[in-house]
Amino acid sequence: MRSLIGYAVCLMVALTIGYTFSPKSPAQAEPLATRPDRVQINGLLNLGSRVVAAGERGSILLSDDQGVSWQPASVGTQRNATLTAVVALDAKRLLAVGHDSWVLRSDDAGSTWQEVRYDSELGEPLLGVWTAGGDSVMTFGSFGKFYQSLDAGKTWAPQALDIDKAHLNSMAGGNDGRRMLVGEQGLVLRTDDAGRHWRSLTPFYNGSLFGIVRLSADNWVAYGMRGHVFVTHDFGNNWTQIKTGNQLPLYGHAVLPDHTGLVIVGAGSSVVRLNEQGELVGVGRLAGLGTLTSATLIGSRLLVGGERGVLQGSAGSVAALVTPQASESKGVMQ
C-alpha cells in the first residue's frame, strides 16, 4: 500500500514538473485599463482642453475629459525613471523632467514625447522646470544643478549659481524679470533681471522649502517642511511666517483664477488656502488621500496628485475647501 502511495506521489510530481516546464501557447493578453490610482503622481498641468499628469516609472497620463478618465501618453524612449515636474511653453510644446537628469519634450500637447536629455551615469534628479513663456526654459534639481535652454528645451547649458550644492526645489516669476528660486536649508535666490544675476537672500528659515509662488510683483509665498508657510510683501526683503497649525510638509500648490489666492497641498492630505495677499483663509484635510504632491484647478474644482495617483474633485467649489472655522473638508473629493 505504501508503495502504491509512493508511486502516486512520484507520478503527480513528475506530471507537475512536466507541465511547468513544457512549452505553452501564449495566453491572450488582457487589455489593461489605465489606473490613475495605481501610480504616484508628482506633477499636474492643466492645458484647458487637456490635463497632463507625470510621475513614477516614467508615467505620463492624459485626460481630455477634465480628469474623469486617463490614457497613457506615448514615450519614445522609456527609461522608467521617476518624473518630477511638467511645464507648458505654449498650448502644444511641453517639457517633463525627472531623475537621472531625464528631460522629455512634446510638440503635440503631450500625446507623444521624445527624449532630449538623459544621464544615468550621474544619476541625479531634476526636481523642477519653469518658463516665462516663449523658447526660454530652466530646469534645476539636486546639488545645485541648474540648466537653461533658449531653444524650447532642445539643447541645454549649465548655469553656475553661487550656492553650496544645495538642492533646488521650486522656481516662480513673471515677465518683468522678477524671479525666485528656493531649496533646502532655507535657500532663497532672487533675481530682478530675468536670471542674469542671482542673489541669495538672508535666511529666514533653516528647513527645506519645497515651493515658491508669485502672487504679484511684490507678494510671494514660500512653503515647505513641517507645514511652514512664509509670505513677503516686498519681493523677499522681509518674510513673515503664517501660522497654519499644520505640522506636515507641504509639497505642491495651485494658483486660483485671476490670482485671487492659492491652495497648497501636502502630506496627510493637508490643504492650506491663502488669499491674494498671502493671508490665511483656512486649513483643511482631505481625509484618506495620503501624501499630496501637486494640484491644479478644473474650473472651480481641485484636482490633486500624489502617492495614490490622480484624484478628481467633486462639483463643489474650491472656495468651500477650507474656511477659518473648518479643520476638516467633507464631501469635496471622491
Side-chain angles (χ1 to χ4, degrees):
M1 186 67 179
R2 290 181 178 178
S3 297
L4 290 175
I5 295 174
Y7 288 138
V9 170
C10 291
L11 179 61
M12 291 177 62
V13 171
L15 290 172
T16 301
I17 293 173
Y19 174 78
T20 301
F21 291 100
S22 64
K24 303 177 184 66
S25 58
Q28 184 176 0
E30 294 184 18
L32 297 177
T34 299
R35 292 294 302 270
D37 59 340
R38 296 288 181 89
V39 58
Q40 177 170 319
I41 296 300
N42 299 318
L44 286 171
L45 178 64
N46 186 359
L47 299 174
S49 60
R50 167 173 286 181
V51 183
V52 181
E56 66 175 333
R57 300 192 302 274
S59 300
I60 300 180
L61 304 178
L62 311 173
S63 176
D64 294 325
D65 55 10
Q66 298 187 324
V68 176
S69 62
W70 296 84
Q71 302 78 39
S74 174
V75 179
T77 303
Q78 180 55 267
R79 303 289 188 175
N80 291 311
T82 294
L83 294 170
T84 57
V86 59
V87 71
L89 306 183
D90 52 39
K92 293 293 185 181
R93 299 181 300 170
L94 314 181
L95 292 169
V97 302
H99 289 204
D100 295 336
S101 296
W102 199 22
V103 180
L104 296 171
R105 189 175 186 272
S106 173
D107 289 317
D108 54 10
S111 295
T112 61
W113 297 80
Q114 298 76 42
E115 177 180 287
V116 295
R117 192 172 191 276
Y118 182 70
D119 187 353
S120 61
E121 293 290 330
L122 192 59
E124 295 178 351
L126 296 171
L127 302 173
V129 59
W130 184 85
T131 181
D135 292 342
S136 177
V137 59
M138 285 129 277
T139 185
F140 43 86
S142 60
F143 304 107
K145 296 295 184 295
F146 191 96
Y147 302 93
Q148 184 168 11
S149 172
L150 300 177
D151 55 7
K154 296 177 182 177
T155 60
W156 297 85
Q159 181 175 349
L161 299 177
D162 187 18
I163 57 176
D164 187 22
K165 299 294 183 180
H167 298 335
L168 302 172
N169 296 323
S170 180
M171 183 175 174
N175 293 325
D176 59 356
R178 289 189 169 195
R179 300 171 185 174
M180 285 198 201
L181 186 61
V182 300
E184 65 176 347
Q185 301 174 359
L187 175 68
V188 180
L189 300 174
R190 180 178 69 181
T191 178
D192 57 10
D193 58 7
R196 286 184 290 276
H197 303 90
W198 290 91
R199 183 170 68 88
S200 296
L201 300 185
T202 301
F204 53 88
Y205 172 56
N206 61 5
S208 291
L209 294 169
F210 296 130
I212 181 72
V213 190
R214 172 180 165 137
L215 295 175
S216 67
D218 291 321
N219 295 329
W220 300 66
V221 171
Y223 58 86
M225 286 296 294
R226 296 189 295 278
H228 281 90
V229 180
F230 303 90
V231 62
T232 177
H233 301 296
D234 52 14
F235 187 39
N237 291 325
N238 299 280
W239 295 82
T240 302
Q241 183 177 352
I242 299 173
K243 301 293 185 179
T244 66
N246 175 36
Q247 300 298 312
L248 298 174
L250 299 168
Y251 294 120
H253 70 271
V255 177
L256 300 181
D258 301 320
H259 288 262
T260 55
L262 74 150
V263 172
I264 309 173
V265 299
S269 308
S270 54
V271 180
V272 176
R273 186 179 172 200
L274 309 177
N275 66 15
E276 67 275 12
Q277 297 296 319
E279 299 168 333
L280 183 65
V281 174
V283 179
R285 197 177 302 280
L286 307 176
L289 303 187
T291 295
L292 303 177
T293 61
S294 48
T296 190
L297 287 170
I298 307 294
S300 63
R301 293 175 291 127
L302 188 66
L303 187 71
V304 294
E307 65 175 333
R308 299 186 183 179
V310 188
L311 296 144
Q312 174 67 46
S314 72
S317 170
V318 71
L321 262 175
V322 285
T323 66
Q325 293 78 30
S327 60
E328 294 287 329
S329 299
K330 298 181 179 180
V332 177
M333 306 297 293
Q334 59 184 18

